[in-house]
Amino acid sequence: MAERGEEQQQEPALKTGSRPGKSRRSPLQTLYKGDQLELSGAQKTLQGRREVLEQACLSHTKKRRVLSPEDLKHLIVDDKHGLIYCYVPKVACTNWKRVLMVLTSNGRYTDPLAIPANEAHVAGNLHTLSEFSVTEINQRLRSYLKFIFVREPFERLVSAYRNKFTRSYNTAFHKRYGTKIIRRHRPNPEAEAMEKGNNVSFREFVQYLVDPRTQREEPFNEHWERVHSLCHPCLIHYDVVGKYETLEPDAQAVLRLAAVEGKVQFPTSSKSTRTDGNMAARFFQYISPFYQKKLFNLYRMDFLLFNYSTPEYLRTR
């Protein structure tokens, strides 16, 4: 790792690949009430997910690399309660950011839902792990409760498409990405579509994702970047892997582990048109088997690491 200019000395490398030593009880072990053999269903589920993730990492990642602070921009830190949360867009991250703003605000906020969604995403309202020195990063990675929430990859992708490309108010995304997608992937586009970028089809979005030029030119936007690229789950040992599909009980488990369930409640969702497997299937029926296969290969690691089965609606065989 390069020298940090302001300190003019060599910092130790990030020890992100290391596993907690036997002498230290991981935060998750507080769930187990000592070393009892009878684990509850929720405890078994959380433990099982960690084991699946560890096994998948061993099976599917060959080279270990050292992370730099730059890789840690999605890891939000709560020093007061010893928490690290890796946020994944389209996986309830707005509500988790609201919860963390309540926990770190010293009483300024008490109700997560009273915090406007746009305020939850303002850079600087929460601290990320990338802001600390390497020594401070390693100390937090060793001792804090680390958690992540994931979602079925294609349901997350369809949710991102619906939110960013089919909502009239998302003009920044239409200009930034829509215009490029239409210019590159629509034969004979109209001038207005090229200027506004506000009517990208799901097929065009998929073509953009699997086009090798896309990632050569710039990294994926965080709303469709793979979870393993945002949160590095084979290098960072997450104590809890929560799932969008079991969001409320998993969120409750995290708040209980953090000993803050009396201070804050995770907001329950009131969404009536949440993107699920049936909705994803409707979007994918217009995608050719060729592009379905390419897209699956692109998100394959997220399916494997987080134990999501190949969707039945895919026609890749």
Side-chain angles (χ1 to χ4, degrees):
M1 177 146 183
E3 285 184 0
R4 291 173 62 85
E6 70 274 20
E7 292 173 27
Q8 295 300 310
Q9 64 182 47
Q10 187 71 25
E11 290 249 37
L14 290 183
K15 298 182 178 68
T16 46
S18 62
R19 294 289 179 248
K22 283 189 175 142
S23 59
R24 190 180 74 77
R25 293 175 69 74
S26 91
L28 196 60
Q29 284 174 290
T30 60
L31 264 182
Y32 303 151
K33 294 181 185 144
D35 296 311
Q36 63 178 31
L37 295 173
E38 287 300 310
L39 300 182
S40 74
Q43 293 161 357
K44 279 182 184 168
T45 300
L46 293 178
Q47 182 72 345
R49 281 184 201 152
R50 269 188 18 168
E51 287 166 3
V52 166
L53 174 57
E54 297 234 333
Q55 199 48 56
C57 287
L58 287 171
S59 304
H60 300 289
T61 56
K62 291 172 181 67
K63 280 196 298 190
R64 300 192 74 78
R65 71 181 183 88
V66 174
L67 290 174
S68 70
E70 185 71 12
D71 292 311
L72 306 175
K73 288 186 167 176
H74 272 249
L75 278 78
I76 294 171
V77 178
D78 171 2
D79 277 331
K80 193 174 175 184
H81 302 95
L83 299 174
I84 292 175
Y85 160 60
C86 187
Y87 76 90
V88 178
K90 308 311 300 174
V91 193
C93 79
T94 303
N95 280 342
W96 269 118
K97 286 179 178 181
R98 285 167 161 155
V99 165
L100 286 161
M101 282 174 73
V102 170
L103 290 175
T104 57
S105 71
N106 293 318
R108 191 154 62 99
Y109 301 111
T110 54
D111 176 12
L113 288 179
I115 301 171
N118 60 335
E119 197 175 323
H121 298 295
V122 171
N125 277 345
L126 293 161
H127 290 290
T128 65
L129 201 55
S130 58
E131 297 167 31
F132 296 90
S133 72
V134 173
T135 305
E136 292 168 328
I137 290 169
N138 282 330
Q139 181 265 319
R140 284 162 176 77
L141 284 172
R142 273 195 303 273
S143 58
Y144 284 14
L145 176 78
K146 299 174 292 297
F147 68 99
I148 179 177
F149 272 72
V150 300
R151 182 177 187 177
E152 200 279 341
F154 285 169
E155 289 172 27
R156 176 176 168 246
L157 193 64
V158 169
S159 177
Y161 166 75
R162 289 177 64 218
N163 180 251
K164 299 305 173 193
F165 294 105
T166 71
R167 304 281 189 269
S168 58
Y169 55 79
N170 263 324
T171 51
F173 265 80
H174 302 159
K175 278 276 190 195
R176 172 80 172 78
Y177 296 100
T179 53
K180 181 188 281 190
I181 292 169
I182 287 167
R183 273 201 310 274
R184 192 166 272 180
H185 299 289
R186 183 178 298 179
N188 309 314
E190 294 172 358
E192 188 184 4
M194 284 196 291
E195 186 198 338
K196 291 186 176 173
N198 61 353
N199 62 355
V200 170
S201 71
F202 186 63
R203 183 190 292 136
E204 289 165 341
F205 179 52
V206 169
Q207 289 174 326
Y208 162 79
L209 292 173
V210 302
D211 185 337
R213 292 173 294 183
T214 300
Q215 284 190 89
R216 274 206 303 269
E217 288 166 6
E218 61 180 344
F220 275 167
N221 178 276
E222 62 177 16
H223 291 84
W224 47 86
E225 178 60 281
R226 284 72 54 95
V227 177
H228 72 90
S229 296
L230 293 175
C231 296
H232 314 286
C234 291
L235 295 170
I236 295 169
H237 186 68
Y238 289 97
D239 299 291
V240 177
V241 178
K243 291 201 167 185
Y244 190 75
E245 295 77 12
T246 49
L247 177 60
E248 284 166 27
D250 291 355
Q252 201 56 44
V254 170
L255 297 178
R256 195 165 62 245
L257 274 173
V260 294
E261 54 189 336
K263 295 182 184 178
V264 66
Q265 288 239 297
F266 190 83
T268 53
S269 174
S270 57
K271 283 189 181 174
S272 53
T273 53
R274 188 181 267 191
T275 304
D276 59 11
N278 292 330
M279 187 177 287
R282 289 204 297 277
F283 278 83
F284 272 84
Q285 68 184 337
Y286 302 109
I287 306 300
S288 71
F290 174 79
Y291 280 110
Q292 286 188 11
K293 187 165 193 169
K294 276 186 172 297
L295 195 69
F296 182 78
N297 286 338
L298 197 58
Y299 288 87
R300 181 171 168 266
M301 280 301 285
D302 280 359
F303 278 97
L304 290 170
L305 294 177
F306 304 113
N307 204 23
Y308 285 108
S309 52
T310 308
E312 289 181 5
Y313 55 76
L314 281 195
R315 308 187 307 279
T316 59
R317 291 160 195 80

